[in-house]
Amino acid sequence: MTGPLLGWALVVLGVGVAGGNLLRTALVRGWARFEAAAEAVMGGGMAVMAAPPTAAHYGTYSTWWAAVFGAFCLGGVALSVRHAVRGGLRYLRHGGHVVIGSAAMVLMTLAMSGTTSSPALALAGSSGHGGMLGMAGMESVGAHGHGGVAEAAGSAGGALAWRVAFWALAAYFVIFMALAVRARLRGRDGSLPAVADGTRARHRHARRRPSVLTVPNARLAGHVGMGGSMATMLLMMAA
């Protein structure tokens, strides 16, 4: 898939991520609702970033997008610390995915080209994002129009550092997607602690009722969609 077809395919994934997590937002409460809302916004942001009609204008409002994703990142950090204080360090990971996902969205937002006032930082002066032909806003920023910031980001070391960061994040999302599928196949959605055998037996009949619109299924759909689209976009930006 090249050209606009790739962009529209990523739009479909982003919309699917947003839809699945909006459904999960209506089904859960507390921390899980914040996580679902954050991933829904990420999915919407990826759809706008990838759609050919809107990609060229995404960078114009990159400051606002970065502020939104940065706020979710800080919220994830705060809730992770809260879980760790209440339940121990092993609960620190519960907000880690939102933190990493929001940080990745901030980096991709900063890598988008836009107006001279936008913080287009990444890979400036490079040969261009060859794989992003269908995403007009992700062409190479170039050294023109961004002054000293673009010159600093356009250095060989700076471009390599951004690419390494994108590759590492892409690897994380691929691994995360695989672990989400594995956990679902094993019957764990990762959101609730294990229950005693007696409780499990008491709810055995309810658990066997076939239903597609369940929290674990919505969670899996959102995680797989976000992992796949995030990894694809990050690798293309680093190309």
Side-chain angles (χ1 to χ4, degrees):
M1 292 187 299
T2 58
L5 184 60
L6 178 56
W8 286 116
L10 291 172
V11 169
V12 172
L13 281 175
V15 171
V17 170
N21 282 289
L22 284 175
L23 172 63
R24 187 156 64 98
T25 302
L27 297 175
V28 297
R29 294 180 180 179
W31 155 248
R33 177 170 289 181
F34 173 82
E35 179 188 36
E39 293 183 12
V41 174
M42 291 181 210
M46 285 188 290
V48 176
M49 191 185 297
T54 58
H57 306 288
Y58 183 92
T60 305
Y61 305 97
S62 55
T63 301
W64 297 103
W65 284 105
V68 171
F69 296 130
F72 277 116
C73 184
L74 293 176
V77 171
L79 286 174
S80 295
V81 172
R82 180 184 178 187
H83 279 291
V85 170
R86 291 186 172 184
L89 290 178
R90 68 180 184 275
Y91 290 99
L92 191 64
R93 63 181 176 82
H94 280 281
H97 178 63
V98 171
V99 173
I100 295 174
S102 300
M105 291 300 298
V106 170
L107 289 179
M108 289 195 294
T109 297
L110 296 180
M112 296 288 286
S113 61
T115 64
T116 56
S117 61
S118 68
L121 304 180
L123 305 179
S126 65
S127 59
H129 308 298
M132 304 299 284
L133 296 176
M135 303 169 69
M138 295 184 185
E139 68 260 6
S140 176
V141 176
H144 58 281
H146 297 286
V149 175
E151 292 176 5
S155 64
L160 178 60
W162 280 90
R163 286 192 171 94
V164 169
F166 286 168
W167 290 333
L169 286 169
Y172 163 81
F173 283 108
V174 171
I175 294 172
F176 170 80
M177 184 170 50
L179 291 177
V181 173
R182 179 173 176 265
R184 186 68 187 100
L185 291 176
R186 292 177 126 191
R188 302 196 312 265
D189 62 2
S191 59
L192 296 173
V195 294
D197 289 340
T199 306
R200 183 179 297 116
R202 200 180 310 143
H203 296 284
R204 187 175 300 162
H205 178 69
R207 193 178 299 181
R208 286 182 178 178
R209 288 181 299 179
S211 178
V212 176
L213 300 179
T214 62
V215 173
N217 288 341
R219 181 184 178 90
L220 177 64
H223 284 177
V224 170
M226 190 171 80
S229 54
M230 278 276 202
T232 302
M233 294 172 71
L234 286 163
L235 289 174
M236 287 180 173
M237 280 188 164

